Amino acid sequence: VLFRSVSQSRYIESSSYKVGQEVRARILVDTEKNSVNSFEASVVYNQKKLKFVGYGDGKSIRPLWVSAPRVVDSQIYFSAILPGGVSATYDANSAEPGSLDLVELIFVAQETGVSEIEIQESSILLNDGRGTKLPHVAKGSLVSVLEGSGETNPDTNPPQNLEVSVIPASSEGGTPMMLSDGSPRRPL
């Protein structure tokens, strides 16, 4: 699911899941390098096909929630601010700034068929002190829910033994260390 500035091309991502599997829809915001400080949206989806179970913070920014994602009148509504504004994310491996990864909506696939996760209404405000709206186009994602169980086989292998040791600081000073393999080491 994506907010795109007006001049950007259409973007729709499709994914397939099985009944019972978790479906994660990332809300990305492309600001075209404009500094923004406020986001508000309502997201619609087929409630027979998908069940909204929660949300996770985006991977690139941590907004302050005015209203965290929740179901209101059969839509997911959220509102967030970013004090001081932000224009893009930066990745050392890319020459171009990236989209803001605002939030991840989490669903469980309930019934076979196709559902669109679509931003119905949205508002993005520029960080200009005047509350100027950033013109944008909101795009959705198509989700296919297939026959079969999305449950995985339980892990039957026990975990490896883990030994944790705390080595006290010496009388010469130094910081105590916690080691997972029991071998003593001194801080550098």
Side-chain angles (χ1 to χ4, degrees), residues 134-151:
L134 176 67
H136 63 281
V137 176
K139 302 296 178 191
S141 293
L142 296 176
V143 175
S144 297
V145 181
L146 308 173
E147 290 284 341
S149 172
E151 295 181 19

Side-chain angles (χ1 to χ4, degrees), residues 91-170:
D91 179 352
N93 298 318
S94 174
E96 293 296 316
S99 297
L100 304 177
D101 193 339
L102 184 62
V103 66
E104 188 171 56
L105 302 177
I106 304 168
F107 303 87
V108 171
Q110 297 287 102
E111 185 179 293
T112 60
V114 176
S115 176
E116 185 170 12
I117 300 172
E118 180 182 14
I119 298 171
Q120 183 150 16
E121 294 181 28
S122 60
S123 176
I124 303 172
L125 301 183
L126 293 172
N127 185 36
D128 63 359
R130 291 176 269 174
T132 306
K133 288 187 178 186
L134 176 67
H136 63 281
V137 176
K139 302 296 178 191
S141 293
L142 296 176
V143 175
S144 297
V145 181
L146 308 173
E147 290 284 341
S149 172
E151 295 181 19
T152 58
N153 295 329
D155 183 4
T156 57
N157 297 325
Q160 293 180 356
N161 291 333
L162 177 66
E163 182 182 320
V164 177
S165 303
V166 176
I167 301 172
S170 71

Side-chain angles (χ1 to χ4, degrees), residues 1-30:
V1 179
L2 182 76
F3 289 104
R4 277 258 191 224
S5 297
V6 177
S7 64
Q8 293 291 321
S9 60
R10 185 168 176 79
Y11 178 89
I12 294 183
E13 182 180 302
S14 299
S15 301
S16 296
Y17 300 87
K18 292 185 178 180
V19 172
Q21 274 189 314
E22 193 173 82
V23 177
R24 292 178 172 260
R26 291 174 39 212
I27 306 291
L28 302 173
V29 182
D30 180 8

Side-chain angles (χ1 to χ4, degrees), residues 7-78:
S7 64
Q8 293 291 321
S9 60
R10 185 168 176 79
Y11 178 89
I12 294 183
E13 182 180 302
S14 299
S15 301
S16 296
Y17 300 87
K18 292 185 178 180
V19 172
Q21 274 189 314
E22 193 173 82
V23 177
R24 292 178 172 260
R26 291 174 39 212
I27 306 291
L28 302 173
V29 182
D30 180 8
T31 68
E32 289 191 334
K33 301 179 187 173
N34 290 296
S35 181
V36 296
N37 64 7
S38 175
F39 309 91
E40 182 176 27
S42 61
V43 177
V44 294
Y45 61 101
N46 184 324
Q47 293 184 329
K48 290 184 180 181
K49 309 281 186 224
L50 301 171
K51 178 182 180 183
F52 178 65
V53 295
Y55 70 94
D57 286 331
K59 293 182 171 118
S60 64
I61 59 173
R62 299 279 188 239
L64 296 177
W65 294 109
V66 174
S67 179
R70 69 186 196 291
V71 177
V72 176
D73 297 329
S74 69
Q75 298 179 22
I76 299 169
Y77 170 80
F78 63 87

